[in-house]
Amino acid sequence: MAQATHMTLRMLAERIEQLTGQIDELNQRLTQLVEHHAPQLLVPVGIGPDSAVTLLITTGDNHERLNTETSFAALCGVSPVEYSSGRRRTRRLNHGGDRQANAALHCIVFTRLRHDPRTQAYYERRTKEGKTRPEIIRCLKRYAAREVFNLVRPVPSTPAL
């Protein structure tokens, strides 16, 4: 019985090591792709290769469809949706849009909440103003979408005179 357990654990450890190697290789490939196509995305706090690739895929090759950061936010599902009941008017998260892009922005926001002092200060300030955690997260996702849009949009070329 002990020998079977030992052998099974050894096989599992080898499999974990093999999968970890594959993950590392894929992360290196993703990093190379992002560095080739949009290296500026890896500079801000919280944006890793996986989030950058997801957001680049969302942006796509057709930049004309994303004229403004508002359209990009709607595409990512982080534009606020107003809803009201009686006299109360408030906003909630948009449940539409590209869910993978929304998840990438979610990861960016939570990484920033853990590691970025500016984001932590913003969270504290908004909490003191009486905002709820979901409201603050919605605002932070919107800010992250705005930042990503400004990093990935093509700079219009000015014609030479």
Side-chain angles (χ1 to χ4, degrees):
M1 182 73 165
Q3 184 179 9
T5 303
H6 184 267
M7 189 168 85
T8 302
L9 289 175
R10 186 169 34 119
M11 289 173 56
L12 285 174
E14 289 172 359
R15 181 70 177 143
I16 289 170
E17 190 174 301
Q18 178 188 19
L19 291 174
T20 302
Q22 289 177 351
I23 290 169
D24 292 342
E25 181 183 339
L26 290 172
N27 280 334
Q28 288 176 353
R29 287 183 183 182
L30 286 178
T31 303
Q32 289 172 353
L33 285 171
V34 174
E35 287 173 347
H36 182 278
H37 293 286
Q40 68 276 13
L41 269 180
L42 296 176
V43 174
V45 174
I47 302 178
D50 51 348
S51 297
V53 167
T54 301
L55 294 168
L56 284 172
I57 290 170
T58 300
T59 304
D61 289 335
N62 187 3
H63 294 288
E64 292 80 32
R65 69 188 176 122
L66 299 174
N67 295 328
T68 64
E69 57 92 14
T70 306
S71 61
F72 180 71
L75 180 64
C76 293
V78 295
S79 58
V81 175
E82 188 170 313
Y83 72 100
S84 59
S85 175
R87 295 182 187 200
R88 188 183 79 166
R89 302 183 87 187
T90 187
R91 292 184 172 101
R92 66 168 172 80
L93 283 173
N94 183 352
H95 297 293
D98 186 340
R99 301 318 301 159
Q100 285 80 20
N102 192 299
L105 291 171
H106 185 84
C107 290
I108 292 168
V109 166
F110 277 89
T111 300
R112 288 181 177 180
L113 279 171
R114 283 191 305 267
H115 301 291
D116 185 27
R118 289 182 347 175
T119 305
Q120 293 166 353
Y122 176 84
Y123 183 85
E124 291 300 321
R125 186 175 76 245
R126 296 298 289 225
T127 302
K128 289 177 184 173
E129 291 174 3
K131 299 290 182 188
T132 64
R133 182 173 176 85
E135 289 174 323
I136 298 169
I137 299 300
R138 178 185 52 78
C139 292
L140 287 170
K141 280 184 174 183
R142 182 76 159 108
Y143 289 139
R146 182 178 298 126
E147 182 180 12
V148 168
F149 175 76
N150 288 324
L151 289 171
V152 297
R153 76 173 172 191
V155 178
S157 58
T158 56
L161 297 176

